[in-house]
Coordinates of all heavy atoms in Angstrom, one line a residue:
D321 N 55.9 36.1 17.2 CA 56.3 37.4 16.7 C 57.6 37.9 17.3 O 58.0 39.0 17.1 CB 55.2 38.4 16.9 CG 54.8 38.6 18.4 OD1 55.4 37.8 19.2 OD2 54.0 39.4 18.7
K322 N 58.3 37.1 18.1 CA 59.6 37.6 18.7 C 60.7 36.8 18.0 O 60.7 35.7 17.7 CB 59.6 37.2 20.2 CG 58.7 38.1 21.1 CD 59.3 39.5 21.2 CE 58.5 40.4 22.1 NZ 58.6 40.0 23.5
Q323 N 61.8 37.7 17.8 CA 63.0 37.1 17.3 C 63.9 36.4 18.3 O 63.8 36.8 19.5 CB 63.9 38.2 16.5 CG 63.1 38.8 15.3 CD 64.0 39.9 14.6 OE1 65.0 40.3 15.2 NE2 63.5 40.3 13.5
A324 N 64.7 35.6 17.9 CA 65.6 34.9 18.9 C 66.5 35.9 19.5 O 67.1 36.7 18.9 CB 66.4 33.8 18.2
G325 N 66.6 35.8 20.9 CA 67.5 36.7 21.7 C 66.8 38.0 22.0 O 67.3 38.8 22.8
A326 N 65.5 38.3 21.5 CA 64.8 39.5 21.9 C 64.3 39.4 23.4 O 64.1 38.3 23.9 CB 63.6 39.8 21.0
P327 N 64.3 40.5 24.1 CA 63.8 40.5 25.5 C 62.4 40.0 25.6 O 61.5 40.3 24.7 CB 64.0 42.0 25.9 CG 63.9 42.8 24.7 CD 64.6 41.9 23.6
V328 N 62.0 39.5 26.7 CA 60.7 39.0 26.9 C 59.9 40.1 27.7 O 60.5 40.9 28.3 CB 60.7 37.7 27.7 CG1 61.3 36.5 26.9 CG2 61.4 37.8 29.0
D329 N 58.6 40.0 27.7 CA 57.7 41.0 28.3 C 57.4 40.5 29.7 O 57.0 39.3 30.0 CB 56.4 41.2 27.5 CG 56.7 41.8 26.2 OD1 57.7 42.5 26.0 OD2 55.9 41.6 25.2
I330 N 57.5 41.4 30.7 CA 57.1 41.0 32.0 C 55.8 41.8 32.3 O 55.7 43.0 32.2 CB 58.2 41.6 33.1 CG1 59.5 40.8 32.7 CG2 57.8 41.2 34.5 CD1 60.7 41.4 33.5
I331 N 54.7 41.0 32.6 CA 53.4 41.5 32.8 C 52.8 41.3 34.1 O 53.0 40.2 34.7 CB 52.4 40.8 31.8 CG1 52.9 41.1 30.3 CG2 51.0 41.4 31.9 CD1 52.2 40.4 29.2
V332 N 52.4 42.4 34.8 CA 51.8 42.3 36.2 C 50.3 42.6 36.0 O 49.9 43.7 35.6 CB 52.5 43.3 37.1 CG1 51.8 43.2 38.5 CG2 54.0 42.9 37.2
N333 N 49.4 41.7 36.4 CA 48.0 41.8 36.4 C 47.5 42.4 35.0 O 46.7 43.3 34.9 CB 47.5 42.7 37.5 CG 47.3 42.0 38.8 OD1 47.9 40.9 39.0 ND2 46.5 42.5 39.7
G334 N 48.1 41.8 33.9 CA 47.7 42.2 32.6 C 48.4 43.4 32.0 O 48.1 43.8 30.9
Q335 N 49.2 44.2 32.8 CA 49.9 45.3 32.4 C 51.3 45.1 32.1 O 52.0 44.5 33.0 CB 49.7 46.5 33.4 CG 48.2 46.9 33.6 CD 47.6 47.6 32.4 OE1 48.3 48.3 31.6 NE2 46.3 47.4 32.2
L336 N 51.8 45.6 31.0 CA 53.3 45.5 30.7 C 54.0 46.5 31.5 O 53.8 47.7 31.4 CB 53.5 45.8 29.2 CG 55.0 45.8 28.7 CD1 55.6 44.4 28.9 CD2 55.1 46.2 27.2
I337 N 55.0 46.0 32.4 CA 55.7 46.9 33.2 C 57.2 46.9 32.9 O 57.9 47.9 33.3 CB 55.5 46.6 34.7 CG1 56.1 45.3 35.0 CG2 54.0 46.7 35.1 CD1 56.2 45.1 36.5
A338 N 57.8 45.8 32.3 CA 59.2 45.8 32.1 C 59.5 44.7 31.0 O 58.6 44.0 30.6 CB 59.9 45.4 33.4
R339 N 60.7 44.7 30.6 CA 61.3 43.7 29.7 C 62.6 43.2 30.3 O 63.3 43.8 31.0 CB 61.5 44.3 28.3 CG 60.2 44.7 27.6 CD 60.5 45.1 26.2 NE 59.2 45.4 25.5 CZ 58.7 46.7 25.4 NH1 59.3 47.7 26.0 NH2 57.5 46.8 24.8
G340 N 62.9 42.0 29.9 CA 64.2 41.4 30.4 C 64.6 40.3 29.6 O 64.0 39.8 28.6
D341 N 65.8 39.7 30.1 CA 66.4 38.5 29.5 C 66.1 37.2 30.3 O 66.1 37.3 31.5 CB 67.9 38.7 29.3 CG 68.2 39.9 28.4 OD1 67.4 40.1 27.4 OD2 69.2 40.5 28.6
V342 N 65.9 36.1 29.7 CA 65.7 34.8 30.3 C 67.0 34.3 30.9 O 68.0 34.3 30.1 CB 65.0 33.8 29.4 CG1 64.8 32.5 30.1 CG2 63.6 34.3 29.0
V343 N 67.0 33.9 32.1 CA 68.2 33.4 32.8 C 67.8 32.0 33.4 O 66.6 31.7 33.6 CB 68.9 34.3 33.7 CG1 69.3 35.6 33.1 CG2 67.8 34.7 34.9
V344 N 68.8 31.2 33.9 CA 68.6 30.0 34.6 C 69.2 30.1 35.9 O 70.4 30.4 36.1 CB 69.1 28.8 33.8 CG1 69.0 27.5 34.6 CG2 68.5 28.7 32.4
I345 N 68.3 29.9 37.0 CA 68.8 29.9 38.4 C 68.5 28.7 39.1 O 67.3 28.4 39.3 CB 68.2 31.1 39.1 CG1 68.4 32.4 38.4 CG2 68.7 31.2 40.6 CD1 67.6 33.6 39.0
D346 N 69.6 27.8 39.4 CA 69.4 26.6 40.0 C 68.3 25.7 39.4 O 67.4 25.2 39.9 CB 68.9 26.8 41.5 CG 70.0 27.5 42.3 OD1 71.2 27.5 42.0 OD2 69.6 28.3 43.3
D347 N 68.6 25.5 38.1 CA 67.7 24.7 37.3 C 66.3 25.2 37.1 O 65.4 24.5 36.6 CB 67.6 23.2 37.8 CG 69.0 22.6 37.8 OD1 69.8 22.8 36.9 OD2 69.2 21.7 38.7
N348 N 66.1 26.5 37.4 CA 64.7 27.0 37.2 C 64.9 28.3 36.3 O 66.0 29.0 36.4 CB 64.1 27.5 38.5 CG 63.8 26.4 39.4 OD1 63.3 25.4 38.9 ND2 63.9 26.6 40.7
F349 N 64.0 28.6 35.5 CA 64.0 29.8 34.7 C 63.8 31.0 35.5 O 63.0 31.0 36.5 CB 62.9 29.7 33.5 CG 63.3 28.7 32.4 CD1 62.6 27.6 32.2 CD2 64.3 29.1 31.5 CE1 62.9 26.7 31.2 CE2 64.7 28.3 30.5 CZ 64.0 27.0 30.3
G350 N 64.4 32.1 35.1 CA 64.2 33.4 35.7 C 64.3 34.5 34.7 O 64.6 34.3 33.5
V351 N 64.0 35.8 35.1 CA 64.1 36.9 34.2 C 64.9 38.0 34.8 O 64.7 38.4 36.0 CB 62.7 37.4 33.8 CG1 62.8 38.6 32.9 CG2 61.8 36.3 33.1
R352 N 65.9 38.5 34.0 CA 66.7 39.6 34.5 C 66.1 40.8 33.9 O 66.1 41.0 32.6 CB 68.2 39.5 34.2 CG 69.0 40.7 34.6 CD 70.4 40.6 34.0 NE 71.2 39.5 34.6 CZ 71.6 38.4 33.9 NH1 71.2 38.3 32.6 NH2 72.2 37.4 34.4
I353 N 65.7 41.8 34.6 CA 65.0 43.0 34.1 C 66.1 43.9 33.5 O 67.1 44.3 34.1 CB 64.3 43.8 35.2 CG1 63.1 43.0 35.7 CG2 63.8 45.1 34.7 CD1 62.3 43.6 36.8

Side-chain angles (χ1 to χ4, degrees):
D321 58 354
K322 284 289 183 69
Q323 295 182 351
V328 297
D329 295 333
I330 302 172
I331 299 172
V332 176
N333 276 22
Q335 296 293 328
L336 176 65
I337 66 165
R339 293 186 177 91
D341 297 329
V342 177
V343 296
V344 178
I345 304 174
D346 296 334
D347 297 330
N348 292 326
F349 284 111
V351 179
R352 180 189 294 111
I353 295 178

